[in-house]
Every structure is written in C-alpha cells, then in structure tokens.
Amino acid sequence: MGTRVRLYLNVVLLVELTCSCLCVYSVLANNTNNDDPGPDFILNSVMATYDRKFRPNTKGPPTVVTIDIYVSDFDSVQEATMDYGLVIFLRQRWNDNRLQYNASEPMVLQGDSANLLWQPDLFIPNEKKGFLHSVTTENRLLRIYPNGDVFLSSRYSLTLSCYMDLKKFPLDDQICIMQMESYGYTTKDLIFNWTEKDPVQTEEDLKLPQFQIRKHETESCTKQYSTGAFTCIRARFYLHRDVGYYMLQAYLPSILLVVLSWVSFWITYDAAPARVALGVTTILTMTTLDSGIRATLPKVAYAKVRLHS
C-alpha cells in the first residue's frame, strides 16, 4: 500500500514539474517574440492604423526626402528631336514615424509593397516618356528601418528633353538637365535634397556614340508658381561632342571634292563641256553631302556652322 502511495506522489510531482517547465518556456518565448517580433506581425501591426493618404508628421515641419541617382545607361543624344535617354536607379530616403517598430533589423519588402505607403509625389518636368522596368519582376526595392526610415529604389528608363544650341555644330558642347519637382506639395509640406555624398553616380564604362560626359553637377531650384512654392532639384550633364564621325563623313569627303575640282585647271581651254561638267558635279555633290548632314538636325532660326566652310 505504501509503495502505491509513493508511486502516485512521484507521478503527481513529475506532472507538476513538467507543467512548470512548459509555463516558463512559454513566458520566455513570449518575451523573445515581443523583443524581436516576426516581420508579418510587425507589418500587420504597423499598417493597422496607417493611412497612406497623409504625409508623415502632417501638422509638423515639412517632410525631407534625400535623393540620389545612379545612371546605368546614357542613350544617344538626338539633335533632331532635342532629347536624350537615361536608365537610372532613383533612390529616395525619408522618415515616417508612423512606421516605427521594435526590432533590430530592417524589413526588406517587395517593390509593390511601396503602394501601401505614402510616397513623395516626385515628377520630372522635362520628361517626354518613361516607364518603370518590370522584367522579370517590378524593379523596386523597399526597406523600412526600426526608427521609421524608409528607403525606396526604383529603376526607370526615361527620355528627357534637352534644348541644344547648335550654332557651333559639330564643334559644340551641350548641357542636358534632369529636373525633379513635387507635383502637389509645397515647400511647407515637402522638401527634396540631394544626398551630400555622390548624389549622381554613373557606370564606370559609360560611353556615348558621339559625346563625352565631361562632368555633372547638382543644384536646388525651388519653383514659384501661382499655386505656391514647390521644391525642386536639378542635375546637369555637360556633354562634349566628338568630331571624329564628322571628320570621316563630312570634312574629309569635302576636302577631297575640293581637291578634285582643281583638276579643271589642267583641262585644256577648248574642252569647255568637261570643265563645266566637273564644276557642276562638284557643286551637286557638296550640296548633297551637306543636305544629308542637315537632315539629322532640327529646323532652327539661326545659321549652323557649314561643314564645308
């Protein structure tokens, strides 16, 4: 009888010890999860009361967005349409205190998750056309840091207008700009700033068919409209035209034609038809050569440098 009682007491003690261990483990697990919860829990808890229609700190100071761009490709500059193409990584950083959470690592989300957040209403005034790359997936990167900092990177292809002064063509230099403004927020609500270090970065082996990128500069350009003052930043690309193509396709053929026309001085005085034919042929060839070059240029109200002058 005593043996059975002792056995029963041992079983009860074992069960109580097991329950105590399970309770301690559960408390520790809950504490651990509260210190560093999972991304699903964080995202759901943050977005439960989030409204993307309003900017961060709505009634406070303006939201500051720092921007930098990485130019991965610089397409051919088109004189006829006065535009140029860029493939860029547009990187934006701002702080949204509504997105703060308790964790040690940032959340890395798919690009389409950015549609759930407030984003700066950035637009490019001198854009003719452009699109966000989506092969094989939408080319966007979104990171949300525990302190509420947001990093958004997007890859775009853009065709931008660039007014060119062709008075010295083809010995000319051009300045093409990329300008970014806020569409709806005035400077009381939103401010764009370039990052302090390397605001414009380019591919190391970036080359253009007819131009060299001498340098690039950045500046601020707040715009004043009838609806208010709007934040603006601008990048300038200084381009120098390589004259090699025109030396081979225009200057050298023109020189050869002029030298060929001198043959008429050695033709006998009596062979008038031959002298006339050679002179007319030279003039027609020069005119055709000049017209072919000018066909690629816009119709402007000033005289461009003649290739055969």
Side-chain angles (χ1 to χ4, degrees), residues 260-261 263-264 267 271-285:
L260 181 62
S261 67
V263 176
S264 61
I267 297 178
R275 296 167 63 93
V276 172
L278 183 59
V280 171
T281 301
T282 302
I283 293 174
L284 292 177
T285 305

Side-chain angles (χ1 to χ4, degrees), residues 30-71:
N30 289 333
N31 290 336
T32 302
N33 291 334
N34 290 333
D35 292 339
D36 197 2
D40 292 340
F41 175 80
I42 294 174
L43 189 60
N44 292 333
S45 61
V46 167
M47 300 307 298
T49 58
Y50 189 87
D51 192 345
R52 67 185 181 92
K53 295 189 294 294
F54 300 98
R55 70 172 181 89
N57 199 15
T58 304
K59 297 182 179 181
T63 301
V64 178
V65 180
T66 57
I67 296 174
D68 68 274
I69 60 174
Y70 180 86
V71 181

